[in-house]
Amino acid sequence: MRAPFRHRRPRPPVVPLLLCATVALTALCMPPSAAADDDGAAGPGVPAAGAAVSHLYEEAQAATARYEEGARAADAQRARVRRLDRLLADEQHEVAVLHEDLGRMASAQYRTGGGLPLTAQLLLADDPEQLLRGRRVVGQVDLAVTNAVARTQRAAARLGVAKQAADRARRVLDRRTAQLGRLKRDIEEKLESARWRLQGEADRSAAAGRCRGAVRHAQPPSSSTRAWVSPVASYELSAGFDSVGERWAGRHTGQDFAVGIGAPVRSVGDGRVVRVSCGGGFGIEVVVRHEDDAYTQYAHLASAAVDQGELVRVGQWIGQVGTTGNSTGPHLHFEARRTPHHGSGVDPVEWLAERGVDL
């Protein structure tokens, strides 16, 4: 049910704690026959694929945030080095100019008799007093230039030391950023492998029409006081409500969110789970009845994290994005309904907007 992207929403800042993936990564390195039973259930001591993906998904977000923070710090340090380079070049140019001034003054003194003893210059001068005044002025200028040269050289030396320290800090940051980049890529590669292992389990469940039971996850801490949220935190909107396409009969009955396999799906509001099913066109799906007697559906999931009859709160993870059922790619199919049944849907974008959630 996926259509070309229509609208892009930026990813929100994510700064979760970096979780330990040792257990999950160990499981992912095992062959499928050792990691799971024939029906897709995890073996003794082995985390389910959904739980492994959940851990790796959070770690990938944390690693990305750390990498981006490190890259910003490295960029800022490189900018500081460039600024010090310019300042140091200016100071070195000033030293050179002042040295040239001293050279010109020395040449002028030699041409005007500066090489003769002062007594001889006084005897030969037409106006001895003017000569003395000129010598005093030249001496004062000479002293001023000499002091300026010394000050500029000291400033250049300080800048040189600062630039060396900045260069060292830049190299450290560049190495750290490269390490974070390698860690990020490693986690993303393992996450991609775990996602398709999860999807394989989901496809077997959907084909059999038998749910494997709730895949429980450590719920994210929430300090939000909002009564309603979007069904996924980060997404791209694809096929919209009532649109026409070859992938479904008639018109599209919900709003699709293009999201990677394993991404957490959350309940848009408080309510009770009235259906968890694993077969048919919607694949693995969850339907929630809310306190205002409206219903929401979350379809094409890779796993369900709740059981029928369970109370859920706003923002609670109730499943993971997948591509089960009649789906051509990973996405969440979300519906807002008047009843729990297909065909009673209303425009989910408008429905959420009425509740203060703008997609």
Side-chain angles (χ1 to χ4, degrees):
M1 295 187 182
R2 186 171 180 178
F5 296 156
R6 296 182 176 180
H7 173 71
R8 181 180 293 271
R9 171 171 173 168
R11 291 180 178 272
V14 182
V15 192
L17 295 175
L18 186 62
L19 304 174
C20 176
T22 304
V23 176
L25 299 186
T26 301
L28 294 176
C29 294
M30 298 174 64
S33 59
D37 299 329
D38 290 339
D39 62 355
V46 178
V53 170
S54 180
H55 285 304
L56 286 167
Y57 187 86
E58 288 298 292
E59 289 197 358
Q61 289 184 316
T64 297
R66 292 180 62 190
Y67 171 78
E68 291 174 350
E69 181 181 0
R72 286 192 297 271
D75 287 342
Q77 189 62 29
R78 281 191 287 272
R80 181 168 182 263
V81 171
R82 288 193 296 270
R83 186 173 64 254
L84 288 170
D85 272 334
R86 290 192 298 269
L87 292 173
L88 182 56
D90 290 343
E91 291 293 344
Q92 290 171 338
H93 176 70
E94 186 66 20
V95 170
V97 169
L98 290 171
H99 274 299
E100 290 178 4
D101 289 343
L102 280 178
R104 283 194 296 272
M105 290 173 61
S107 297
Q109 288 181 16
Y110 180 80
R111 287 194 302 270
T112 56
L116 295 175
L118 179 58
T119 302
Q121 291 183 47
L122 288 172
L123 291 174
L124 296 173
D126 296 332
D127 188 345
E129 292 184 4
Q130 183 178 4
L131 174 63
L132 289 173
R133 286 195 300 272
R135 288 294 297 266
R136 284 195 296 271
V137 170
V138 170
Q140 291 169 355
V141 171
D142 184 47
L143 180 61
V145 173
T146 301
N147 290 338
V149 170
R151 286 195 304 272
T152 305
Q153 287 175 329
R154 288 195 296 271
R158 288 193 298 271
L159 279 171
V161 172
K163 182 182 178 301
Q164 290 176 357
D167 277 330
R168 286 194 296 270
R170 176 189 55 77
R171 289 192 293 270
V172 170
L173 283 170
D174 284 345
R175 286 195 297 270
R176 179 59 176 161
T177 302
Q179 291 170 354
L180 290 172
R182 289 191 293 271
L183 173 64
K184 176 175 174 289
R185 289 191 297 274
D186 183 59
I187 292 175
E188 288 173 345
E189 289 172 1
K190 289 179 171 61
L191 174 59
E192 185 66 12
S193 174
R195 280 171 167 165
W196 290 108
R197 175 185 155 200
L198 170 63
Q199 185 60 43
E201 294 182 1
D203 288 338
R204 289 192 291 272
S205 293
R210 186 179 73 246
C211 294
R212 290 173 291 144
V215 178
R216 301 294 178 176
H217 307 277
Q219 294 294 324
S222 175
S223 58
S224 174
T225 58
R226 298 184 61 182
W228 302 91
V229 295
S230 62
V232 284
S234 177
Y235 54 83
E236 294 170 344
L237 295 180
S238 50
F241 178 73
D242 210 27
S243 57
V244 178
E246 297 178 356
R247 298 181 180 87
W248 49 82
R251 293 184 176 273
H252 194 227
T253 55
Q255 174 63 57
D256 287 352
F257 295 77
V259 192
I261 292 172
V265 175
R266 55 194 187 182
S267 177
V268 297
D270 294 336
R272 183 183 294 274
V273 178
V274 298
R275 183 191 304 138
V276 178
S277 63
C278 299
F282 285 119
I284 299 176
E285 65 167 327
V286 172
V287 178
V288 176
R289 178 182 180 180
H290 299 285
E291 295 174 346
D292 59 358
D293 287 333
Y295 295 81
T296 52
Q297 179 211 30
Y298 312 79
H300 303 310
L301 303 178
S303 73
V306 290
D307 291 316
Q308 188 166 316
E310 185 175 333
L311 289 172
V312 293
R313 67 179 188 277
V314 59
Q316 178 178 334
W317 289 355
I318 60 175
Q320 291 172 285
V321 171
T323 181
T324 54
N326 295 337
S327 171
T328 58
H331 72 286
L332 169 69
H333 175 84
F334 173 76
E335 291 193 16
R337 297 175 174 176
R338 298 184 183 91
T339 75
H341 307 297
H342 178 64
S344 63
V346 298
D347 188 338
V349 176
E350 294 180 2
W351 186 86
L352 284 170
E354 291 170 358
R355 289 156 176 77
V357 180
D358 295 323
L359 299 179

